[in-house]
Amino acid sequence: MGSCPRRLPRGAKPPADDRRRASPVHRRPKARRARRPERRGSPPFRWLGTVAAQIFLLQLVVVLVLAAAGAAAVVLQRQHDGETRARKQALAVAETFALAPGTALALESPDPAVLLRVQARKAQLSSGADFLSVLTPQGRPVTDAAPESADVPAREIGRALEGRTSTGTFPGGPAGSVRAVVPVVDADRRVVGVVTAGVRIHSPGRATGPQVPMVLEAAALAAVPAVGGTFLVGRRLRRQTRGLGPAEMARMYEHHDAVLHAVREGVLIVDADGRVLLANDEARRLLDLPEDTGRDRRHVGELGLGAGLTRLLESGGAVSDAVFPAGDRLLAVNTRRTTSYGGTPDPGAVPKRGRLPSALRRLARRPAGTSEAPGPPDPSGPPAHPHAPAPRASRRPPSGRRTQRPGRALVASFRDTTELQALSGRAEAARERLTLLYEAGMRIGTRLDVRRTARELAEVAVPRMADVVSVDLLESVLHGEEPAGAADRMRRVALRGAVTPVPLRPVGGLIRSGATGTPAAAALRDGRAVRVPDLYAAEDWRAQDPKEARRALDHGIHSLITVPLRAQGVTLGVAGFWRGSGSARFEEEDVTVAEELVARAAVAIDNARRYSREHAMSVALQRSLLPRGLPEQEALEPAWRYLPARSGVSGDWFDVIPLSGFRVALVVGDVVGHGLHAAVTMGRLRTAVLNFSSLDLPPDELLGRLDEMVTRLDTQAADADGEASPVTGATCLYAVYDPVGGQCTVSRAGHLAPAVVDPEGRVSFPELPLSPPLGVGGVPFEAGELTLPEGSRLVLFTDGLVESRGRDVDEGLALLGTAVAHAGRTPEETCRDLVEALLPERPGDDVALLVARTRLLAPSRVAVWEVPFDAAAVSEVRTEAVARLHGWGLEDAAFTVELLLSELLSNAVRYGAPPVRVRLLLGRGLVCEVSDGSSTSPHPRRAAATDEGGRGLFLVSRFAQRWGTRYGAHGKVIWAELGPGGVPEPAPGALPGVLT
């Protein structure tokens, strides 16, 4: 019952005599006991050493401890409850007597003892208190004082005189007493005495008398399941050991030992010090070990097993089907660690019932087919082999160090795999080729880049396929064009070798296929691979470049496969696979692998070529739609950057548009999507903005018209059965800057607000009205006003600058603010700082960036006149304007300006409405503006010879470089702009010619 159970191996049957003894174990106990005479002489109390008895004793101790703890808890709880109850009772008696109406009056009488003695005695008896006394404020008893109340501590008297109540315990009786001290106060709230009451705490023995036996009875009841559990555990143990005694266990040991030495698989058990504990017959045969191996505990380093196998057995590592050479054999080795079980009896002693030596215990419980083996036996126990002598003292391995963890054994099994090695070698080569092709499919063509794809082909093939790989492509392929031109002129785009330097032409060099008989020329002509197994014996391949061929041979390169790069029937280039010293020459199987590798690379290169061509076309189209240069103007100093996305073109654009009165419009927009459609849509929107800006519309009105146009485009796309993508979602920001007052009017449709950097370098993102993106419709556009000091920088950008997959917009705006927060930076320097700080080498989205530094027109170059609404005032304004022109040094333009003012002012007074104002602006040219309060627009017409009027605007258009009308919130402005330096005065007689 005290032995640890061990089951027989799955499927194993005990001998016939064992089965006869084991099968009726529960039916014929008497007969079984008769066959075990050794149990009759067992010493008394031997059952205490069994596992079941030990479990029973442990349960009994736990039950007794719990019973004692429960009894102690009951006693302590009862004691605490008695003290609490006595404290409350004493305090209630004292407070009741102290608060009685006559107590305070009696204490203030001449003889309080006469009045209170009897009352105190009655109160004590009726309340059940042990004593009740009344004391004066000086602590003298008024009533008959009990011994416990005569010695009230002074601190409790003082606490009562302060009007506070106190309780405390003091010795007395079997368990002590509780005393309560309560002050007696009169009507004036003065303390006139003290009442003390005491209650004795009864011993907890009486209260807990009935409960302690109940706890003990519960403990006795708990012991009953412990006895039953012990019986069940003992029965379970007897059933698991199948009632086998020492003799039966010894026969089982012999049986397993015979099986161990009969199997056709070598088994070797090594202990924690690297010494052999057991080696079966097959292990000695395969490893050529002496017969005494395992008996003399030799170290594995002394067996001559080879360096690799010795290191494995010493390290104790676990491997599966690792192949090691052993003489002329190749052995498949499996190793596992195993933990030894408990110790064994002294040598010569009979094993206990149900116990096996540790080695056979492990074998007995091992499932069939597993590599588990017995662990090392206890040094004090019997030997692992039945015929082995007693174990010697443990010696350290020759290396002087322990090779495994203490208490761990290593079980190694060996199988002879010599005959399977040739077949497995061929299978391994095929598996490596398949693995190479699989990796090629995963690693070649990761990017749509011709040169990178060629490099990936070389990286995959070196060193698993060849020692050196070169890839040469036609120059037209490198430019994304269709393969054309002479096939004997190629550029080397990839070269990789297992060692450096590589004795071939470097990357970028011009490659000529040479004479007709060279491998490269033959491969290009026939369209299939050419193998040269021995370059030393071949002569034709040297005709391509004799010097390069001589260098290659000097470096040991001896074999070559040349494969043409062909895709869709078109030759793109050629790839060369070279092997050098230390590698076998190429075989026919290698040609198939090389052709498969090159075929996959050729498809990827052709795709990359087509993508490069389409991408170049898209970028060229987009750049043709963007402004190639910024127009000349003097209101702003602009700089810009445009970076296309690595995945293709997009719809980002920008523009700088000069307006009348030296004003400048700044535009930044972004079309949803990528590709040619986005680029074309961007060009249409940019053209529309240019056309609308020629009308001199306010920013909000211009975006309103642009929104209407986008809606019409989307309607046309919907009518086209989905052939065109919608434009809805495009964003745009339109800003107009006036250098006269530094005012900037901004309106945006779903676009990010610009950044404003003042001359001191402070950055702000102004709160401007935000309208929905273009095409949404339904909401009117709004405009915001900014006043920019001279030297301020206005930064306009698309979302690709500040937003990416790894960065949100807020973080990007913070980085932008940090990058531009520097005073004195030019717009060009600001663009460079932003690109370096916020953009990678190849951004994921298009980026349009426009930075403009503001300028102001000097007040001395601005002249303004308020004109009375009277035709007689026209001459006075002309005279003052001519005088101002003389002051600016523009005497040659005086007549032209006087003519323009006469016509424009006359029309304003005749057809317009007050107020009328004239403004002259001097910059790169001269601008003449006449404004009035009317919204009617003048139109030029060709007057007949008999007409008296109709020639004024014709004269304006003839002598002004540009002219036009713009509308404001209150009226219109007709402006005329003269070229730089003004317009010279017309020659005499020219005016009648112009009019006719």
Side-chain angles (χ1 to χ4, degrees):
M1 186 169 61
S3 61
C4 296
R6 293 293 180 269
R7 295 183 182 273
L8 290 174
R10 185 184 300 248
K13 297 182 179 179
D17 55 347
D18 291 343
R19 292 198 299 270
R20 287 196 299 269
R21 289 185 175 91
S23 58
V25 63
H26 62 286
R27 298 178 182 177
R28 302 173 60 187
K30 294 182 180 180
R32 186 184 62 187
R33 286 196 296 270
R35 288 193 295 271
R36 293 192 180 89
E38 68 274 10
R39 294 190 59 182
R40 296 177 183 177
S42 61
F45 304 106
R46 181 181 177 182
W47 63 275
L48 292 176
T50 63
V51 175
Q54 294 172 2
I55 293 175
F56 172 74
L57 292 177
L58 176 61
Q59 292 177 341
L60 186 59
V61 170
V62 172
V63 169
L64 293 177
V65 170
L66 292 177
V74 170
V75 171
L76 294 176
Q77 182 65 33
R78 286 297 181 180
Q79 184 177 358
H80 177 267
D81 293 342
E83 182 178 348
T84 302
R85 186 167 50 253
R87 189 182 299 274
K88 293 181 179 179
Q89 182 180 359
L91 184 60
V93 172
E95 287 182 345
T96 302
F97 196 83
L99 296 176
T103 303
L105 297 176
L107 286 173
E108 293 177 349
S109 67
D111 190 1
V114 176
L115 300 176
L116 294 176
R117 186 178 296 117
V118 175
Q119 299 299 329
R121 182 61 178 172
K122 290 181 179 180
Q124 175 185 347
L125 295 176
S126 61
S127 62
D130 294 320
F131 65 88
L132 179 62
S133 298
V134 181
L135 308 178
T136 64
Q138 292 76 24
R140 294 191 301 272
V142 175
T143 62
D144 292 339
E148 296 84 356
S149 62
D151 55 348
V152 178
R155 64 176 179 275
E156 294 185 8
I157 297 295
R159 192 177 295 115
L161 294 178
E162 296 175 358
R164 292 184 294 170
T165 301
S166 62
T167 59
T169 59
F170 63 94
S177 300
V178 176
R179 176 177 51 220
V181 180
V182 179
V184 180
V185 295
D186 59 3
D188 298 331
R189 308 303 296 174
R190 291 182 300 106
V191 178
V192 296
V194 177
V195 176
T196 175
V199 177
R200 184 174 291 108
I201 303 174
H202 297 287
S203 173
R206 293 182 299 172
T208 59
Q211 298 180 355
V212 172
M214 294 175 60
V215 174
L216 298 179
E217 290 174 2
L221 292 176
V224 173
V227 175
T230 303
F231 173 78
L232 294 177
V233 169
R235 182 179 178 182
R236 178 69 174 176
L237 291 176
R238 287 194 302 272
R239 183 177 300 173
Q240 289 185 344
T241 57
R242 297 178 182 273
L244 296 178
E248 290 88 346
M249 304 296 274
R251 281 193 295 271
M252 186 180 294
Y253 169 80
E254 295 173 357
H255 167 72
H256 285 290
D257 184 71
V259 174
L260 175 67
H261 290 279
V263 296
R264 301 301 296 171
E265 183 174 332
V267 177
L268 196 69
I269 303 178
V270 183
D271 68 1
D273 291 329
R275 300 189 178 280
V276 179
L277 299 177
L278 184 145
N280 68 348
D281 295 340
E282 185 68 11
R284 288 195 295 269
R285 184 184 70 83
L286 294 176
L287 301 177
D288 196 16
L289 301 178
E291 291 294 331
D292 59 351
T293 301
R295 292 196 296 268
D296 58 356
R297 300 288 182 89
R298 291 188 183 183
H299 193 272
V300 294
E302 303 173 1
L303 302 179
L305 302 180
L309 185 55
T310 300
R311 282 196 303 270
L312 174 63
L313 297 178
E314 287 182 345
S315 64
V319 298
S320 296
D321 293 332
V323 178
F324 291 91
D328 57 348
R329 298 184 179 92
L330 291 175
L331 302 181
V333 183
N334 294 273
T335 59
R336 292 292 184 274
R337 285 179 176 174
T338 180
T339 304
S340 61
Y341 285 80
T344 57
D346 294 336
V350 178
K352 293 182 180 180
R353 173 180 173 83
R355 300 281 293 183
L356 290 176
S358 59
L360 289 192
R361 285 206 317 273
R362 297 299 300 279
L363 285 175
R365 65 186 296 269
R366 182 184 67 179
T370 62
S371 59
E372 292 285 343
D378 194 311
S380 63
H385 194 278
H387 308 291
R392 301 178 182 178
S394 176
R395 301 195 305 268
R396 287 189 175 272
S399 59
R401 61 182 176 85
R402 295 181 67 88
T403 56
Q404 302 180 37
R405 297 165 58 183
R408 308 281 285 184
L410 183 73
V411 180
S413 62
F414 307 90
R415 296 194 311 275
D416 191 355
T417 61
T418 306
E419 297 178 356
L420 299 177
Q421 186 60 25
L423 179 60
S424 64
R426 291 193 295 270
E428 180 66 19
R431 187 185 66 83
E432 289 183 356
R433 293 190 182 101
L434 291 177
T435 303
L436 176 62
L437 294 178
Y438 172 76
E439 292 186 1
M442 298 295 293
R443 296 173 54 185
I444 297 178
T446 57
R447 299 281 183 86
L448 291 173
D449 184 87
V450 173
R451 299 178 186 272
R452 181 183 177 89
T453 304
R455 290 196 299 268
E456 290 171 347
L457 170 61
E459 291 171 358
V460 169
V462 176
R464 299 172 63 179
M465 175 64 187
D467 296 325
V468 179
V469 173
S470 61
V471 181
D472 308 325
L473 297 177
L474 298 175
E475 292 185 341
S476 57
V477 174
L478 295 177
H479 297 131
E481 303 172 358
E482 290 292 334
D488 60 344
R489 288 178 55 87
M490 293 177 286
R491 289 286 177 183
R492 179 149 293 169
V493 294
L495 180 65
R496 186 176 181 87
V499 295
T500 54
V502 180
L504 298 177
R505 194 179 300 275
V507 174
L510 180 63
I511 306 298
R512 295 182 179 273
S513 60
T516 306
T518 62
L524 292 172
R525 182 187 66 250
D526 300 336
R528 56 187 178 86
V530 176
R531 179 176 68 96
V532 183
D534 189 0
L535 293 176
Y536 291 98
E539 296 291 339
D540 51 359
W541 76 282
R542 307 186 186 189
Q544 182 174 346
D545 191 339
K547 294 183 179 179
E548 183 180 17
R550 188 163 46 253
R551 288 197 308 270
L553 294 176
D554 293 341
H555 278 76
I557 294 179
H558 59 80
S559 189
L560 166 66
I561 294 179
T562 301
V563 186
L565 281 158
R566 293 178 60 83
Q568 299 183 4
V570 179
T571 301
L572 307 176
V574 67
F577 299 86
W578 314 73
R579 282 186 179 175
S581 58
S583 301
R585 66 175 58 183
F586 285 114
E587 303 294 340
E588 285 296 334
E589 296 177 352
D590 298 320
V591 175
T592 304
V593 177
E595 289 179 337
E596 182 66 23
L597 284 176
V598 173
R600 300 189 181 198
V603 173
I605 289 176
D606 188 57
N607 291 337
R609 176 190 65 81
R610 295 175 183 275
Y611 172 79
S612 299
R613 181 186 61 185
E614 294 178 1
H615 184 265
M617 293 172 57
S618 301
V619 171
L621 172 62
Q622 187 176 31
R623 290 192 179 277
S624 66
L625 297 176
L626 291 172
R628 299 188 178 183
L630 299 181
E632 294 184 359
Q633 44 79 36
E634 56 185 351
L636 298 169
E637 179 186 353
W640 59 275
R641 290 289 189 277
Y642 174 76
L643 286 82
R646 62 173 179 264
S647 59
V649 297
S650 183
D652 293 11
W653 92 92
F654 67 93
D655 214 338
V656 178
I657 306 172
L659 301 177
S660 62
F662 302 130
R663 295 174 305 128
V664 178
L666 303 176
V667 189
V668 173
D670 186 1
V671 176
V672 178
H674 294 81
L676 288 176
H677 171 74
V680 172
T681 303
M682 175 271 293
R684 300 171 75 178
L685 292 181
R686 178 172 177 259
T687 302
V689 171
L690 286 173
N691 292 333
F692 291 147
S693 64
S694 64
L695 301 177
D696 237 333
L697 300 175
D700 52 347
E701 186 176 346
L702 185 142
L703 290 183
R705 296 198 179 188
L706 191 64
D707 180 73
E708 294 177 0
M709 189 200 77
V710 169
T711 302
R712 288 196 300 271
L713 291 177
D714 287 345
T715 303
Q716 295 173 3
D719 295 339
D721 296 332
E723 295 181 0
S725 301
V727 189
T728 299
T731 64
C732 182
L733 184 146
Y734 187 84
V736 176
Y737 175 71
D738 188 354
V740 176
Q743 299 295 323
C744 183
T745 305
V746 183
S747 184
R748 56 191 182 123
H751 204 84
L752 294 173
V756 178
V757 187
D758 64 9
E760 286 75 22
R762 293 186 296 267
V763 182
S764 63
F765 294 90
E767 293 291 339
L768 296 171
L770 177 62
S771 301
L774 298 176
V776 175
V779 179
F781 290 88
E782 300 181 41
E785 296 286 342
L786 298 176
T787 301
L788 303 178
E790 187 173 11
S792 300
R793 282 170 290 165
L794 193 63
V795 182
L796 286 75
F797 51 88
T798 56
D799 57 357
L801 180 68
V802 296
E803 186 179 12
S804 63
R805 290 185 178 179
R807 183 178 62 202
D808 58 15
V809 176
D810 294 336
E811 183 181 356
L813 292 177
L815 292 175
L816 184 146
T818 304
V820 300
H822 302 285
R825 305 290 285 177
T826 64
E828 188 67 30
E829 293 172 342
T830 303
C831 289
R832 185 172 61 250
D833 294 342
L834 287 174
V835 171
E836 292 176 355
L838 277 77
L839 294 179
E841 181 179 357
R842 299 186 67 184
D845 191 7
D846 279 19
V847 176
L849 173 63
L850 181 60
V851 180
R853 185 163 60 182
T854 62
R855 297 169 179 165
L856 289 179
L857 197 62
S860 60
R861 293 174 171 264
V862 179
V864 180
W865 293 274
E866 298 293 339
V867 181
F869 198 69
D870 187 1
V874 174
S875 59
E876 299 178 1
V877 174
R878 286 202 310 265
T879 302
E880 295 178 4
V882 170
R884 178 59 63 90
L885 292 175
H886 283 277
W888 287 342
L890 299 177
E891 295 84 355
D892 295 341
F895 177 78
T896 304
V897 173
E898 187 175 4
L899 178 63
L900 295 178
L901 281 178
S902 298
E903 295 298 331
L904 297 179
L905 274 176
S906 300
N907 286 339
V909 172
R910 180 176 299 178
Y911 303 109
V916 179
R917 188 175 67 169
V918 175
R919 187 171 70 163
L920 294 181
L921 306 176
L922 178 61
R924 298 176 59 86
L926 181 65
V927 176
C928 176
E929 297 180 348
V930 176
S931 62
D932 64 85
S934 173
S935 298
T936 57
S937 175
H939 298 282
R941 65 183 179 87
R942 181 174 296 277
T946 58
D947 290 341
E948 296 182 358
R951 298 176 178 83
L953 292 180
F954 182 76
L955 292 174
V956 171
S957 63
R958 176 61 180 83
F959 290 102
Q961 186 177 12
R962 295 191 309 153
W963 75 281
T965 304
R966 69 172 182 267
Y967 296 90
H970 307 285
K972 65 179 182 296
V973 176
I974 302 177
W975 56 272
E977 181 177 347
L978 306 180
V983 177
E985 181 177 342
L991 185 57
V994 170
L995 294 177
T996 57

